Amino acid sequence: MIKVIFHDEDICRNIFEFIRTQLPSYENKKDMEISIRDNINYLEILISSKEINKTILVKKVEDKRELKFNIKRELYKNLYNYFDNEDPWGILTGVRPVKLVLSLLEKNSIEKTKEILKNYYLLNDDSINLCLDIAKTELSYLYPVNRNRYSLYIHIPFCPTKCSYCSFLTLDNNKKNTKIYTDYLIEELKYYSQFVKNPPHTVYIGGGTPTSIDIKELEEIIRTVNIYYKKPLEFTVECGRPDTINKEILLMLKEMGVNRISINPQSMNNKTLKNIGRSHSVEDILLSYDIAKKIGFESINMDLILGLPGESVEDVNYSLNKVISLDPENITIHTLSLKNGSDLYKNKNFSNCNDIDEMLKLTKSLTKKNDYIPYYMYRQKRMLGNGENIGYSKVSKESIYNMVMMEEKETILGFGMCSTSKFYYPEKNKILKTMNYRNLKDYINKNNKVSKSKYINDFKF
């Protein structure tokens, strides 16, 4: 167990997450206490465990964010020899490393940015080069920043079954629930259309599994977008689960103007699919993909997860080669994140996968060899091996929505329960957020027509 003692709870949480990431063996199996004494000009940090007894000093600064980094930097330097694995991400624990790199590049040369990442944030060369490669791709899509450009995110909280690694809130997938939800979602979409005159940059319908609801309900949602918001440059629907896809649904999506879809295997190993609660087979994946390819979608994404229970490096190698042989435009590689609320985490049905580094190196090598470039990336808490999630694409087939969502350089209007709207003020480099209700009863009975109204009139969409 890791315990952090200090009068500032925000700093305590920040340090705890950093230490837990670097020393996962202490979280449940060992004890460590980090006690911080606040003196006039510095913080005295005492680290105590069975193996470690150290005292380090950190100079106090007024800027709280910089103080957090200073504490983590000194902890990193003093505890590095005790880390469970070599960490390529230094003291960065945030979700969006490339967002940081983009902000640095706005003010510095590439060489200066590299220097800051290496000496201040302590990233290794591979992580620095990965971030810079992704930033280079994203620059052409995100800049120049347009204050009045916006995208739509539409949330469908239904799935045929819940995967063991998933912590998302999903509803019972019955006709009554999906019909009620769809009606209120469409009402919300129609209401906010009065605030926009121009078509959205992108539209993304995610979940959950959007294709798990009735085809007519999904079609009506898309029709509402097309009528009230007009055609975007990119329109994505997560088909996700192959057991929810058929020719009729895919033809409808194509005819309604959807030009990008996701078909997400997670693994091309039938035993693994069964173990994680996916009610489909590898054969279902291949059939669904074949139908989608013949129908002619401009871009198809396929997801894989590294570190699933029981999977080896050889299993990952097989899955990735199988997916690459299908030649999708996008491949997204996730490192398993052990999320609170997931069955996998609750049942402790996982191990701290020691092969994650090798799996990540393999995926980077194979994607590069087959002409896929990394175009966006993010990180999460409790990722095995402190890894990362990377989206790869064929040249000029990048998902615009994924980039604007992750780097927060554009307003995103969120619709449906659990969705978040992000309003981007470039003049202040600031994001203001509003969230919709997180359960069906509140979403239906309370007024979602006010959640986004607080900020939407600041823009000329």
Side-chain angles (χ1 to χ4, degrees):
M1 187 178 114
I2 299 168
K3 186 176 183 181
V4 182
I5 303 171
F6 190 45
H7 60 74
D8 188 312
E9 290 186 11
D10 182 40
I11 287 179
C12 281
R13 283 194 301 270
N14 197 263
I15 293 172
F16 170 78
E17 282 301 328
F18 174 66
I19 294 298
R20 180 195 61 74
T21 299
Q22 307 293 357
L23 297 167
S25 60
Y26 277 84
E27 187 176 0
N28 296 310
K29 300 176 184 176
K30 301 179 184 179
D31 290 324
M32 170 180 283
E33 182 175 290
I34 298 174
S35 179
I36 306 175
R37 296 174 183 171
D38 194 346
N39 295 310
I40 296 174
N41 296 316
Y42 59 88
L43 297 177
E44 184 180 18
I45 303 176
L46 293 84
I47 309 163
S48 177
S49 74
K50 189 174 182 180
E51 295 91 351
I52 307 167
N53 281 286
K54 284 178 175 284
T55 300
I56 60 176
L57 301 180
V58 177
K59 186 177 180 181
K60 288 171 67 174
V61 293
E62 290 297 321
D63 187 296
K64 188 173 178 179
R65 184 173 181 271
E66 186 177 349
L67 180 61
K68 290 178 187 177
F69 280 124
N70 289 348
I71 293 171
K72 289 193 290 186
R73 192 180 303 106
E74 292 304 318
L75 287 170
Y76 187 101
K77 290 176 180 177
N78 280 271
L79 296 177
Y80 180 82
N81 290 332
Y82 301 96
F83 288 173
D84 289 24
N85 298 291
E86 183 178 349
D87 186 2
W89 292 103
I91 61 172
L92 281 187
T93 53
V95 170
R96 299 177 173 88
V98 182
K99 182 180 179 182
L100 167 66
V101 173
L102 288 169
S103 67
L104 290 173
L105 288 171
E106 288 175 357
K107 302 173 184 177
N108 303 281
S109 66
I110 291 177
E111 289 307 314
K112 181 63 176 177
T113 298
K114 285 183 177 180
E115 181 186 328
I116 294 170
L117 293 173
K118 190 175 187 69
N119 298 326
Y120 186 85
Y121 295 103
L122 308 182
L123 273 66
N124 73 7
D125 289 341
D126 288 343
S127 293
I128 291 171
N129 291 331
L130 173 64
C131 287
L132 286 170
D133 286 345
I134 292 172
K136 182 179 178 181
T137 298
E138 290 186 342
L139 281 167
S140 61
Y141 287 96
L142 303 179
Y143 293 83
V145 170
N146 183 341
R147 189 185 194 279
N148 297 311
R149 191 167 60 197
Y150 74 101
S151 289
L152 303 184
Y153 173 76
I154 300 167
H155 189 65
I156 309 294
F158 298 96
C159 268
T161 60
K162 189 168 185 176
C163 301
S164 63
Y165 54 79
C166 180
S167 64
F168 290 154
L169 177 65
T170 53
L171 302 174
D172 289 340
N173 197 356
N174 59 60
K175 289 185 178 180
K176 181 180 178 182
N177 276 353
T178 61
K179 179 66 169 64
I180 292 171
Y181 183 81
T182 299
D183 288 346
Y184 278 88
L185 174 60
I186 288 172
E187 182 183 328
E188 186 189 5
L189 283 163
K190 288 180 178 178
Y191 175 80
Y192 279 101
S193 68
Q194 67 182 296
F195 297 98
V196 306
K197 294 181 179 179
N198 301 312
H201 192 194
T202 70
V203 174
Y204 194 103
I205 302 181
T209 307
T211 44
S212 67
I213 66 174
D214 187 88
I215 183 173
K216 291 181 180 178
E217 293 168 351
L218 182 56
E219 183 176 3
E220 191 57 33
I221 293 168
I222 298 170
R223 181 177 289 108
T224 301
V225 173
N226 289 341
I227 293 172
Y228 287 86
Y229 293 86
K230 309 306 179 188
K231 185 179 180 180
L233 181 63
E234 175 186 279
F235 198 138
T236 300
V237 173
E238 280 187 4
C239 299
R241 298 279 293 264
D243 45 325
T244 68
I245 305 170
N246 57 42
K247 187 175 182 179
E248 182 185 11
I249 290 173
L250 292 173
L251 282 171
M252 180 275 291
L253 295 178
K254 178 69 173 173
E255 290 167 1
M256 295 296 289
V258 172
N259 53 16
R260 182 176 183 272
I261 62 171
S262 286
I263 299 174
N264 300 331
Q266 315 304 8
S267 171
M268 297 297 273
N269 182 325
N270 278 325
K271 183 179 179 181
T272 301
L273 294 175
K274 184 178 180 180
N275 286 342
I276 62 176
R278 306 278 285 190
S279 52
H280 65 80
S281 67
V282 171
E283 292 69 32
D284 295 327
I285 297 165
L286 298 175
L287 177 61
S288 299
Y289 183 85
D290 184 59
I291 295 169
K293 202 72 173 177
K294 287 176 180 175
I295 286 173
F297 288 94
E298 292 177 25
S299 183
I300 300 176
N301 172 73
M302 303 188 82
D303 282 7
L304 291 174
I305 299 177
L306 309 183
L308 290 170
E311 289 227 319
S312 64
V313 175
E314 290 73 24
D315 292 322
V316 170
N317 182 52
Y318 175 80
S319 288
L320 185 53
N321 273 296
K322 193 75 172 175
V323 166
I324 287 172
S325 71
L326 298 175
D327 199 34
E329 285 72 24
N330 296 168
I331 301 174
T332 306
I333 305 293
H334 298 269
T335 301
L336 180 64
S337 175
L338 303 172
K339 299 175 182 177
N340 289 335
S342 69
D343 290 340
L344 199 63
Y345 185 75
K346 284 189 287 189
N347 299 328
K348 306 299 180 186
N349 184 25
F350 59 86
S351 59
N352 186 26
C353 183
N354 294 319
D355 293 330
I356 286 295
D357 284 348
E358 193 173 343
M359 290 176 179
L360 283 165
K361 288 176 183 176
L362 174 69
T363 58
K364 289 171 184 175
S365 172
L366 281 175
T367 50
K368 183 177 181 179
K369 182 180 177 181
N370 288 277
D371 300 322
Y372 287 92
I373 60 169
Y375 77 96
Y376 92 112
M377 183 257 292
Y378 66 103
R379 304 178 70 225
Q380 295 171 282
K381 293 180 181 179
R382 298 184 187 276
M383 297 185 85
L384 294 184
N386 198 23
E388 63 266 358
N389 303 322
I390 304 177
Y392 296 92
S393 80
K394 295 292 184 70
V395 174
S396 301
K397 292 295 183 178
E398 298 85 356
S399 166
I400 301 170
Y401 174 83
N402 284 337
M403 291 184 281
V404 300
M405 176 270 296
M406 195 50 59
E407 312 314 342
E408 298 184 321
K409 292 294 184 183
E410 178 175 308
T411 292
I412 295 178
L413 302 180
F415 293 89
M417 60 175 272
C418 301
S419 67
T420 299
S421 294
K422 300 179 181 182
F423 293 88
Y424 176 51
Y425 295 79
E427 64 276 11
K428 303 175 184 177
N429 195 27
K430 189 175 184 179
I431 290 280
L432 295 177
K433 300 178 182 180
T434 65
M435 293 186 66
N436 272 0
Y437 297 107
R438 294 184 58 81
N439 64 73
L440 185 58
K441 183 178 179 181
D442 286 343
Y443 180 66
I444 291 170
N445 294 331
K446 296 184 180 180
N447 190 3
N448 270 297
K449 293 178 181 177
V450 298
S451 64
K452 290 177 276 295
S453 302
K454 185 176 181 180
Y455 304 117
I456 202 166
N457 281 314
D458 291 346
F459 300 85
K460 296 179 181 178
F461 297 138

